Amino acid sequence: MRMSRGFLPTLKEVPAEAQIASHRLMLRAGLIRQTAAGIYAWLPMGLRVLRHIEQVVREEQNAIGAQELLMPTIQSSELWRRSGRYDAYGPEMLRIRDRQDREMLYGPTNEEMITDLVGQTIKSYRELPKTLYHVQWKFRDELRPRFGVMRGREFFMKDAYSFDASYEDAVATYRRMMLAYLRTFQRLGVQAVPMVADTGPIGGNLSHEFLILAPTGESGVFYDAALEEQDWLAEKVDIDDHASLETFFNQVTQSYAATDEMHDQAEWDKVPENRRREGRGIEVGHIFYFGTKYTEGMDISVSGADGAPLYPEMGSYGIGVSRLVAAIIEASHDDAGIIWPASVAPYKAVILNLKPGDKQSDALCEKLYGHAPDALLYDDRNDRPGVKFNDADLMGHPWQMIVGPRGAKEGKVELKHRATGERFDLSVDEALAKVFAP
Amino acid sequence: MRMSRGFLPTLKEVPAEAQIASHRLMLRAGLIRQTAAGIYAWLPMGLRVLRHIEQVVREEQNAIGAQELLMPTIQSSELWRRSGRYDAYGPEMLRIRDRQDREMLYGPTNEEMITDLVGQTIKSYRELPKTLYHVQWKFRDELRPRFGVMRGREFFMKDAYSFDASYEDAVATYRRMMLAYLRTFQRLGVQAVPMVADTGPIGGNLSHEFLILAPTGESGVFYDAALEEQDWLAEKVDIDDHASLETFFNQVTQSYAATDEMHDQAEWDKVPENRRREGRGIEVGHIFYFGTKYTEGMDISVSGADGAPLYPEMGSYGIGVSRLVAAIIEASHDDAGIIWPASVAPYKAVILNLKPGDKQSDALCEKLYGHAPDALLYDDRNDRPGVKFNDADLMGHPWQMIVGPRGAKEGKVELKHRATGERFDLSVDEALAKVFAP
């Protein structure tokens, strides 16, 4: 994208309503604009980040055999009455009456709808297991929306729902999902630690929250440094083998990790002191096994191996995709702006033409830009170099390709790495090779 | 996807509520399920088609320099009061009160919001032109939703909005968009004819509907066969040159084309008889220039070349993405089921294993499937060949790769072309080459 043509409005002033870094930076860098309390429009650069995150999430869901579908945003109250949640759900549910005075709602989650869909469709235990997910807009009518998309009202979420024929299968599904989550967050370039979470009346230990470490996090977190050291993408797990999944799961859960809510001082004291990590975290994912709560509650069964009705065992698994944009920024920024991990960055690099109109500079920039115009941002604006440097740092592209008249004469690009500040004097081919290295 | 694991529920019974072919076929082939009146869940196969259409639409929007952003589904009534449309809009608008008793609505369209966003952001005529679009869920509370996603309440739409500094620039933008639409529909494998539409109080001739020809269409259409013969993808148009755009536009609009509403018998009589085409059509797109209606109405201006306030000239441009799924089926099916154009088909081909358990058949099928598991459907179910043939025809994949024990012994695949019924006896490599030919 050429910045002279793009819709990339930056702000010089720090907006007064923005209390945390990610909210300030998302407004200043032109990722979002508020259109109503807790509701945001995603401008082109913000949307690119959102889509990149969505795609990583999708690929890792597909990799464990989850299947994507898409449920609507507006639901009928009738479904929620069947589960008993229509009256139980608080004022966070956006309730609507349509023109025929039917009670509808904007879905905050989809347990009821997916359970009903599966009930209409799946008749036998032989058709299980099934894990289904969608990435869809949801609404929670927060009383005090704040922190930008971190706690907005309309938000974008991946929610998966699993249906298994037995508890053992459900446990295997849960473990597969934990692996998918660890891989997802690693690919997103953030440290997200799984913490055991409250299971309420369900019991057991099959509920984990994933928290991204960031000083502005809403929860205190305590965890064993062992959890930082794993390369989950390299980890060999046979997802079709229950024993392999169990080994993996034990390896994750043997290390202490808890939010302040669930913190256990006695267990914490057993962690060797040099491995104790304390900090704050932002919840970006939650996986939860809840058994037959909805299938029994809504009386949705399939025929079991013995011919008798069988209530599938369920779990649900959420990732806050729009919230992740803010959480990644909280975890990865400095005073000058955002520092995007390469996997989610809106563009691989920005080309800074320090002197538009200088023939050699223009030609060199066009050559760079022509290599991948969809993946590069070209700052071709008639602005001072200082403005361009500042905007580049603010927007946080992983690389800056700096082209001035002196270097251009020799066919040289100055490459700056946003995260480390390292600089390299390179030829066009060398610079492109570095920016597009896999 | 292996069908034994997929969530691909077909229906044998024709659902009583489905009155038109596309609705029946979308339910029977397992593309959608209704979750409330006029509201549908998109099952995995339907979602794949929806995404393929969305992606073609996106690529052609980007190709003319339109920029994608994403506006939220829920809007504040305040914006609509500023344009005067809040009270004017009928009961099709889904009106909502949030927990603070603020009047909100589920957006049926986004003129107000985008105009406000542009007004907040763009200060000078120098930043124009800008064409912005999004692909987002919308809601129209139809009194009698019917025909499945053809006239649903929650629907998926691409809507673009253009802002130009002069009438001449706005005309060029309009013509660019017409080119993008013609190319989009051609890539989608359907004949969509642009028909001059009513411009109401705006006047002029800058309003066109695009109708897909199908016997169940809601409008009668009359057009010159010349419009069928163009290859818009091969057409050389310099989109940065006003004269080139004008030549292209005149070439399109010189041929007669009108719906029954706008039909002009005297003009029709001038079309040579052998070139007169009459039929029915389904509206799938609409492009519309409306000048300063919203910018003046909402008092949103930029500074002009002379320093005085300038109201940008606007147009809006819609494509009904979810409706297109149904419209394409109306235009492309037979008694046995759907016939997907290759560009939107959920899978490139289905592999029919006629005898699962036969070692050579299984091995051959796995070899085919392993070539591109993301783009192929593998019918590995323990079902009779007749069931598989019927489902394959119903689901409408462009190609069927039929593998039986006899052929498998010789390493042969029978390839069937769904649209023509042609059959070919081929080696694995030959069959894959044909299926994945560009």
Side-chain angles (χ1 to χ4, degrees):
Chain A
M1 175 59 62
R2 291 172 199 275
M3 282 184 79
S4 60
R5 298 194 188 168
F7 188 63
L8 303 161
T10 54
L11 291 179
K12 285 192 193 69
E13 317 277 302
V14 180
E17 79 270 23
Q19 301 169 39
I20 60 171
S22 60
H23 191 190
R24 281 195 298 271
L25 290 169
M26 289 182 76
L27 289 170
R28 282 186 53 210
L31 305 187
I32 53 169
R33 287 292 179 267
Q34 180 168 289
T35 58
I39 304 181
Y40 293 85
W42 292 77
L43 304 189
M45 187 125 69
L47 180 59
R48 289 178 72 98
V49 177
L50 192 72
R51 293 294 182 218
H52 291 166
I53 295 174
E54 179 189 3
Q55 185 56 23
V56 170
V57 170
R58 172 176 292 127
E59 287 169 12
E60 294 300 328
Q61 291 292 294
N62 293 347
I64 57 161
Q67 297 178 60
E68 188 174 7
L69 43 65
L70 187 59
M71 290 176 276
T73 61
I74 300 296
Q75 306 187 21
S76 156
S77 63
E78 184 267 334
L79 272 175
W80 289 67
R81 289 196 194 282
R82 278 166 60 193
S83 74
R85 283 211 293 178
Y86 190 67
D87 295 321
Y89 216 102
E92 283 74 30
M93 178 185 278
L94 188 67
R95 293 159 204 263
I96 303 169
R97 280 181 187 271
D98 73 8
R99 69 188 292 180
Q100 312 244 35
D101 213 32
R102 285 175 291 219
E103 288 177 316
M104 314 291 287
L105 58 101
Y106 198 121
T109 175
N110 286 70
E111 280 83 1
E112 284 81 357
M113 189 180 282
I114 195 78
T115 306
D116 184 59
L117 268 174
V118 163
Q120 283 177 41
T121 306
I122 292 187
K123 299 301 167 196
S124 159
Y125 75 98
R126 283 193 207 87
E127 298 167 65
L128 301 178
K130 285 281 180 287
T131 299
L132 305 168
Y133 75 97
H134 71 162
V135 197
Q136 179 61 295
W137 292 93
K138 312 230 165 17
F139 203 95
R140 279 188 202 144
D141 200 358
E142 301 271 357
L143 186 58
R144 268 180 284 280
R146 57 193 164 146
F147 305 149
V149 298
M150 188 77 86
R151 189 173 295 188
R153 294 198 292 167
E154 187 167 330
F155 60 100
F156 200 43
M157 188 171 171
K158 185 284 298 179
D159 39 326
Y161 305 91
S162 63
F163 297 84
D164 281 283
S166 69
Y167 175 73
E168 291 67 35
D169 287 351
V171 170
T173 295
Y174 184 90
R175 291 168 175 168
R176 251 177 239 122
M177 198 58 86
M178 176 170 273
L179 179 66
Y181 273 46
L182 290 167
R183 288 181 170 166
T184 299
F185 294 120
Q186 187 175 330
R187 285 184 60 189
L188 295 177
V190 285
Q191 186 76 50
V193 180
M195 314 248 166
V196 72
D198 192 10
T199 54
I202 304 288
N205 65 345
L206 296 181
S207 176
H208 286 84
E209 295 172 353
F210 291 77
L211 286 97
I212 286 187
L213 305 174
T216 47
E218 72 257 349
S219 310
V221 296
F222 303 83
Y223 66 96
D224 186 325
L227 286 165
E228 292 179 347
E229 292 151 15
Q230 296 293 330
D231 179 355
W232 304 112
L233 296 168
E235 194 78 18
K236 295 259 178 285
V237 184
D238 178 352
I239 61 165
D240 293 321
D241 177 52
H242 285 202
S244 174
L245 286 165
E246 184 172 9
T247 305
F248 150 75
F249 185 73
N250 289 343
Q251 181 199 336
V252 177
T253 52
Q254 78 191 359
S255 298
Y256 186 87
T259 57
D260 37 18
E261 251 180 31
M262 301 286 288
H263 189 46
D264 178 333
Q265 192 63 41
E267 289 297 314
W268 183 235
D269 290 340
K270 293 183 199 158
V271 178
E273 215 159 325
N274 64 334
R275 277 177 23 205
R276 289 187 207 157
R277 297 283 181 276
E278 287 189 42
R280 302 201 68 78
I282 300 166
E283 188 194 336
V284 289
H286 192 171
I287 60 178
F288 189 32
Y289 160 80
F290 46 72
T292 58
K293 177 177 168 186
Y294 291 94
T295 47
E296 277 202 73
M298 297 171 71
D299 194 21
I300 283 171
S301 64
V302 301
S303 70
D306 56 2
L310 178 153
Y311 292 111
E313 301 267 337
M314 289 179 63
S316 75
Y317 316 88
I319 291 181
V321 177
S322 49
R323 169 173 255 223
L324 259 168
V325 180
I328 290 170
I329 295 174
E330 288 296 332
S332 185
H333 70 275
D334 61 18
D335 288 345
I338 303 167
I339 302 169
W340 288 119
S343 59
V344 304
Y347 294 94
K348 298 272 184 197
V350 59
I351 302 161
L352 304 183
N353 187 342
L354 300 189
K355 201 171 179 186
D358 174 70
K359 270 192 187 162
Q360 284 166 319
S361 297
D362 291 352
L364 193 71
C365 287
E366 291 293 341
K367 194 169 172 189
L368 290 166
Y369 182 57
H371 180 74
D374 291 340
L376 294 169
L377 186 64
Y378 174 18
D379 192 345
D380 59 342
R381 296 175 299 173
N382 280 314
D383 264 317
R384 285 176 298 108
V387 172
K388 299 189 178 191
F389 291 135
N390 285 344
D391 279 351
D393 280 352
L394 171 62
M395 293 178 179
H397 317 286
W399 295 97
Q400 299 169 15
M401 304 171 107
I402 303 164
V403 176
R406 222 168 350 162
K409 207 182 284 183
E410 298 164 24
K412 288 284 188 189
V413 182
E414 188 188 10
L415 198 64
K416 177 185 160 188
H417 189 233
R418 174 69 178 90
T420 59
E422 282 178 288
R423 288 167 188 268
F424 307 87
D425 268 318
L426 300 174
S427 71
V428 166
D429 287 346
E430 290 165 341
L432 288 171
K434 226 173 163 71
V435 167
F436 288 94
Chain B
M1 174 59 63
R2 290 173 202 273
M3 282 184 79
S4 61
R5 297 194 189 168
F7 188 62
L8 302 161
T10 54
L11 291 178
K12 285 192 193 69
E13 317 277 302
V14 180
E17 79 271 24
Q19 300 169 38
I20 59 172
S22 60
H23 191 190
R24 281 195 297 271
L25 289 169
M26 289 181 77
L27 290 169
R28 282 186 53 209
L31 305 187
I32 54 170
R33 286 291 180 267
Q34 181 168 290
T35 58
I39 305 181
Y40 293 85
W42 293 76
L43 304 188
M45 187 126 68
L47 180 59
R48 289 178 72 98
V49 177
L50 192 72
R51 293 294 182 217
H52 290 166
I53 295 174
E54 180 188 2
Q55 186 56 24
V56 170
V57 170
R58 172 176 292 127
E59 287 169 12
E60 294 300 327
Q61 291 292 294
N62 293 347
I64 58 160
Q67 297 179 60
E68 188 174 6
L69 43 65
L70 187 59
M71 290 176 275
T73 62
I74 300 296
Q75 306 187 21
S76 156
S77 64
E78 186 267 333
L79 272 176
W80 289 68
R81 289 196 194 282
R82 278 167 60 195
S83 74
R85 284 210 292 178
Y86 189 66
D87 295 320
Y89 216 101
E92 282 74 31
M93 179 186 277
L94 188 67
R95 293 160 202 263
I96 302 169
R97 279 180 187 273
D98 73 7
R99 69 190 289 181
Q100 312 245 36
D101 212 31
R102 285 176 291 220
E103 288 177 314
M104 313 291 287
L105 58 101
Y106 199 121
T109 175
N110 286 70
E111 280 83 2
E112 284 81 358
M113 188 180 280
I114 195 78
T115 304
D116 185 60
L117 269 174
V118 163
Q120 283 178 40
T121 307
I122 292 187
K123 298 302 169 199
S124 160
Y125 76 98
R126 283 194 208 84
E127 297 167 66
L128 301 179
K130 285 279 180 288
T131 299
L132 305 168
Y133 75 96
H134 71 161
V135 197
Q136 179 60 294
W137 292 92
K138 313 235 165 12
F139 203 95
R140 280 188 203 146
D141 200 357
E142 301 271 357
L143 185 59
R144 268 180 283 280
R146 57 193 164 146
F147 306 149
V149 298
M150 188 79 84
R151 189 174 295 187
R153 294 199 291 167
E154 187 168 330
F155 60 99
F156 200 44
M157 188 170 170
K158 185 282 299 179
D159 38 326
Y161 304 91
S162 63
F163 298 83
D164 282 284
S166 69
Y167 175 72
E168 292 66 35
D169 286 353
V171 170
T173 296
Y174 184 89
R175 291 169 174 168
R176 251 178 238 122
M177 198 57 87
M178 176 171 274
L179 179 66
Y181 273 46
L182 290 168
R183 287 181 170 165
T184 299
F185 294 120
Q186 187 176 332
R187 285 183 61 189
L188 295 177
V190 284
Q191 185 76 48
V193 180
M195 313 246 167
V196 72
D198 193 10
T199 53
I202 304 289
N205 67 344
L206 296 181
S207 177
H208 285 84
E209 294 172 354
F210 291 76
L211 287 96
I212 286 187
L213 305 174
T216 48
E218 71 257 351
S219 310
V221 296
F222 303 83
Y223 66 96
D224 186 326
L227 286 165
E228 292 180 348
E229 291 151 16
Q230 295 293 331
D231 179 355
W232 304 112
L233 297 168
E235 194 77 18
K236 296 259 178 284
V237 184
D238 178 352
I239 62 167
D240 293 321
D241 177 51
H242 285 203
S244 174
L245 286 165
E246 184 173 6
T247 305
F248 151 74
F249 185 73
N250 289 342
Q251 182 199 334
V252 177
T253 52
Q254 77 190 359
S255 299
Y256 186 88
T259 58
D260 37 19
E261 252 180 31
M262 301 286 287
H263 190 47
D264 178 333
Q265 193 62 40
E267 287 298 313
W268 183 235
D269 290 340
K270 293 184 199 158
V271 178
E273 216 160 326
N274 65 331
R275 274 176 27 203
R276 289 187 207 159
R277 296 282 182 276
E278 287 189 41
R280 302 199 69 78
I282 300 165
E283 189 194 335
V284 289
H286 193 172
I287 62 178
F288 189 31
Y289 159 81
F290 46 71
T292 58
K293 177 178 169 186
Y294 291 94
T295 46
E296 277 203 73
M298 297 171 72
D299 193 22
I300 283 171
S301 62
V302 301
S303 69
D306 55 2
L310 178 153
Y311 292 112
E313 300 266 337
M314 288 179 64
S316 75
Y317 316 87
I319 291 181
V321 176
S322 49
R323 168 173 257 223
L324 260 168
V325 180
I328 290 170
I329 295 174
E330 289 296 333
S332 185
H333 70 275
D334 61 17
D335 288 345
I338 302 166
I339 303 170
W340 288 118
S343 58
V344 304
Y347 294 94
K348 298 270 184 198
V350 59
I351 301 160
L352 304 183
N353 188 342
L354 300 189
K355 201 169 181 187
D358 174 70
K359 272 192 187 164
Q360 284 166 320
S361 297
D362 291 352
L364 193 70
C365 288
E366 290 293 341
K367 195 168 171 189
L368 290 166
Y369 182 57
H371 180 75
D374 291 338
L376 294 169
L377 186 64
Y378 175 17
D379 192 344
D380 60 342
R381 297 175 299 173
N382 281 314
D383 264 317
R384 285 176 297 110
V387 171
K388 299 189 178 191
F389 291 135
N390 285 344
D391 279 352
D393 281 351
L394 171 63
M395 292 179 180
H397 318 287
W399 296 97
Q400 299 171 15
M401 305 171 106
I402 304 164
V403 176
R406 220 164 356 154
K409 208 181 284 181
E410 298 164 24
K412 288 284 188 190
V413 182
E414 187 187 10
L415 197 65
K416 177 185 159 187
H417 190 234
R418 174 67 179 91
T420 60
E422 282 177 287
R423 288 166 188 269
F424 308 87
D425 269 317
L426 300 174
S427 71
V428 166
D429 288 345
E430 290 165 341
L432 289 171
K434 225 172 165 70
V435 166
F436 288 95

